[in-house]
C-alpha cells in the first residue's frame, strides 16, 4: 500500500514538473522573440519645415540625417550644397532630419535653429545611432504626407560633399519619373557578426545570411513616389536598425531594382582627395569636415562652366587642372 502511495506521489510530481516546464518555456519563448516592430504612425512631429510643395514643387529634396551635436556641419551645408538653390532652372531644397535630443538645453537650441532656418524635420524618437532607421523613415513619411509633388528625393548625411549641380544634370538626362532608385549599389552584402563593429547585427536581429541589394546610406536618390511606396510596406518587412538595409528590404518587397545614374561611378561612400575636375564629375564623397566643405564648394562653384581636361586626377589638388 505504502509503496503504491509513493509511486502515485512520484508520478504526480513528475507530471507537475512537466507542466511547470511547459508553461515556463511558453512564457519565455515569446519574450525572447519579441522584436521591435516598425509602426508607421508612431511618434509626433516636433518641427516641420516651411515649405508648401503644392504651390512650389521642388525638383529635388535633400534629406540630411543629422544630430543635435552637428550644428557646425549643418551651418556649412547651408552655406554650400544645401543653400536654397536653383540649378538648371530647377528648385532644390535641403532639410535636416533630427530626433529628440537628450537635454532640454539641446532641445531649445535645435528648436531655435529650426525657427531661424525653417529647414528642420524633427520627431520625438530618441536620437541615437540605433534609431537611424526611424530617422530615415521620418523623412519618407514627410515626403509622403507633405511633399509628394517633389520629383526626386536624396537621403544623405551631414559629413558628405554633394555635387547638386552634377546630380541635377544627371537626373534630368535620366528622365525617369517613377520607381527609380540609385546610389552606391551594395549587392550581396553580408551581415557583420563581429560584435566590435559599428555595423554589428546579431542573428536575433537579422537571421539571414545576406542582405538584399541596397544603396549605401551615405547618399541615395529616388523618384519621390518611392518614398510613399517604402512607407507603405515598411511595417511588413523585418525591422533592422541599419537604415540603408531596411530601405533595401522595402525595395525588394516592392520589386524596385537599383539602377545606375551614370555608367561611371559617381557615388563615393569613402573619401576622395579633392581636385576640381574630379569633383565636377562626382555626386557624393564621404568624410568631408565643415571647413573642407566650404573650401571645396567654393572652388567647385567658381569653376562651374569651365572645361576640365580629360584626365580627371590632378596630382597637386590645386586649381591648375582647369585650363
Ligand atoms: C528609439 O526610439 C524609441 C522611441 O523614442 C525608444 O523607445 C527607443 O528606446 C530608442 N532606441 C534606443 C536604442 O534608444
Ligand atoms: C522623357 O520621357 C518622356 C516619357 O517618359 C518623354 O515623353 C520625353 O520626351 C522624354 N524627354 C527627354 C528629354 O528624353
Amino acid at each position: 500500500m505504502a509503496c503504491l502511495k509513493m509511486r502515485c506521489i512520484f508520478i504526480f510530481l513528475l507530471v507537475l514538473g512537466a507542466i511547470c516546464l511547459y508553461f515556463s518555456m511558453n512564457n519565455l519563448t515569446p519574450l525572447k522573440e519579441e522584436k521591435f516592430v516598425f509602426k508607421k504612425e508612431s511618434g509626433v512631429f516636433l518641427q516641420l519645415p516651411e515649405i508648401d510643395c503644392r504651390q512650389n514643387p521642388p525638383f529635388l529634396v535633400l534629406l540630411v540625417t543629422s544630430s543635435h551635436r552637428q550644428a557646425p556641419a549643418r551651418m556649412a551645408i547651408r552655406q554650400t550644397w544645401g543653400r536654397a538653390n536653383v540649378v538648371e532652372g530647377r528648385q532644390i531644397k535641403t532639410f535636416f532630419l533630427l530626433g529628440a535630443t537628450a537635454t532640454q538645453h539641446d532641445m531649445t537650441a535645435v528648436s531655435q535653429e529650426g525657427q531661424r532656418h525653417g529647414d528642420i524635420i524633427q520627431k520625438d524618437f530618441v536620437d541615437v545611432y540605433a534609431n537611424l532607421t526611424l530617422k530615415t523613415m521620418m523623412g519618407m513619411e514627410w515626403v509622403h504626407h507633405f511633399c509628394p509633388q517633389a520629383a526626386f528625393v536624396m537621403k544623405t548625411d551631414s559629413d558628405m560633399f554633394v555635387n547638386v549641380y552634377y546630380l541635377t544634370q544627371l537626373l534630368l538626362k535620366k528622365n525617369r519619373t517613377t520607381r527609380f532608385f540609385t546610389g552606391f549599389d551594395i549587392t550581396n552584402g553580408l551581415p557583420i557578426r563581429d560584435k566590435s563593429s559599428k555595423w554589428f547585427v546579431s542573428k536575433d536581429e537579422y537571421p539571414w545570411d545576406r542582405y538584399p541589394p541596397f544603396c549605401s546610406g551615405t547618399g541615395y536618390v529616388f523618384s519621390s513616389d518611392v518614398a510613399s511606396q517604402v512607407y507603405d510596406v515598411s511595417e511588413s518587412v523585418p525591422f533592422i536598425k541599419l537604415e540603408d538595409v531596411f530601405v533595401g528590404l522595402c525595395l525588394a518587397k516592392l520589386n524596385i531594382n537599383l539602377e545606375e545614374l551614370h555608367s561611371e561611378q559617381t557615388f563615393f561612400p569613402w573619401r576622395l582627395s579633392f581636385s576640381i575636375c574630379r569633383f565636377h564629375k562626382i555626386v557624393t564623397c564621404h568624410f568631408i569636415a565643415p571647413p573642407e566643405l566650404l573650401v571645396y564648394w567654393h572652388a567647385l562653384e567658381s569653376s562651374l562652366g569651365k572645361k576640365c581636361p580629360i584626365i580627371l586626377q590632378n596630382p597637386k589638388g590645386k586649381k591648375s587642372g582647369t585650363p
Side-chain angles (χ1 to χ4, degrees):
M1 244 345 229
C3 184
L4 189 66
K5 205 172 173 184
M6 284 294 279
R7 195 182 288 172
C8 282
I9 290 171
F10 179 70
I11 290 171
F12 173 70
L13 286 177
L14 209 66
V15 170
L16 193 71
I19 289 171
C20 284
L21 197 67
Y22 175 78
F23 274 102
S24 68
M25 277 177 77
N26 258 303
N27 282 337
L28 282 178
T29 314
L31 255 182
K32 189 167 172 270
E33 280 183 2
E34 199 178 316
K35 282 195 180 162
F36 181 78
V37 181
F38 180 72
K39 282 270 164 266
K40 284 200 285 195
E41 307 292 342
S42 66
V44 291
F45 281 102
L46 301 176
Q47 289 197 66
L48 288 167
E50 288 159 16
I51 183 173
D52 185 345
C53 290
R54 276 170 308 179
Q55 286 272 322
N56 206 359
F59 174 72
L60 175 63
V61 169
L62 304 169
L63 300 176
V64 188
T65 49
S66 188
S67 74
H68 55 286
R69 288 181 196 285
Q70 293 167 326
R74 288 194 291 279
M75 281 319 295
I77 291 169
R78 287 187 186 108
Q79 293 167 50
T80 57
W81 50 266
R83 198 169 50 212
N85 243 319
V86 175
V87 177
E88 316 249 333
R90 313 288 168 131
Q91 201 196 168
I92 299 175
K93 285 278 186 185
T94 300
F95 303 113
F96 298 97
L97 308 176
L98 282 98
T101 56
T103 67
Q104 193 53 49
H105 174 267
D106 289 336
M107 210 59 173
T108 310
V110 165
S111 148
Q112 283 171 350
E113 185 184 328
Q115 276 162 24
R116 183 167 332 125
H117 298 283
D119 61 1
I120 289 181
I121 303 175
Q122 186 184 27
K123 258 183 137 174
D124 62 352
F125 59 84
V126 181
D127 199 322
V128 287
Y129 184 74
N131 267 343
L132 206 50
T133 296
L134 301 190
K135 200 175 269 183
T136 292
M137 289 311 295
M138 167 176 77
M140 299 289 181
E141 179 179 358
W142 182 80
V143 173
H144 171 70
H145 281 312
F146 298 101
C147 207
Q149 297 84 1
F152 294 97
V153 180
M154 174 179 206
K155 185 261 144 187
T156 186
D157 289 339
S158 340
D159 55 352
M160 299 295 294
F161 182 96
V162 181
N163 185 341
V164 289
Y165 296 103
Y166 196 45
L167 174 58
T168 304
Q169 282 171 18
L170 293 178
L171 285 172
L172 287 170
K173 213 188 247 174
K174 201 82 187 172
N175 193 24
R176 288 283 305 273
T177 51
T178 57
R179 293 174 66 82
F180 178 68
F181 199 100
T182 190
F184 181 78
D185 182 332
I186 301 174
T187 293
N188 293 321
L190 305 175
I192 294 174
R193 306 296 189 190
D194 170 6
K195 283 194 178 142
S196 62
S197 166
K198 183 185 180 186
W199 298 284
F200 165 71
V201 167
S202 72
K203 289 222 169 186
D204 269 350
E205 277 176 275
Y206 191 86
W208 300 280
D209 287 338
R210 257 170 218 287
Y211 286 141
F214 67 98
C215 285
S216 161
T218 53
Y220 51 79
V221 181
F222 47 95
S223 54
S224 68
D225 63 307
V226 173
S228 296
Q229 295 186 53
V230 163
Y231 183 64
D232 274 345
V233 298
S234 58
E235 285 179 2
S236 61
V237 303
F239 182 82
I240 182 162
K241 62 177 188 272
L242 306 177
E243 61 88 16
D244 43 11
V245 177
F246 183 76
V247 171
L249 289 166
C250 294
L251 296 177
K253 177 116 190 168
L254 294 162
N255 286 314
I256 294 176
N257 296 320
L258 310 183
E259 293 181 51
E260 264 180 358
L261 186 58
H262 191 283
S263 54
E264 281 176 29
Q265 182 177 0
T266 54
F267 292 88
F268 291 87
W270 52 80
R271 193 182 157 88
L272 298 173
S273 58
F274 181 75
S275 90
I276 288 178
C277 288
R278 183 144 207 217
F279 274 49
H280 267 260
K281 297 288 174 199
I282 67 163
V283 173
T284 63
C285 165
H286 197 188
F287 302 121
I288 304 298
E292 296 171 308
L293 180 55
L294 296 172
V295 174
Y296 296 176
W297 185 260
H298 180 71
L300 180 84
E301 275 204 320
S302 54
S303 66
L304 284 175
K306 291 188 187 150
K307 286 261 183 298
C308 275
I310 303 300
I311 305 135
L312 291 179
Q313 272 294 2
N314 180 351
K316 280 190 200 143
K318 292 250 168 72
K319 219 174 166 178
S320 54
T322 48

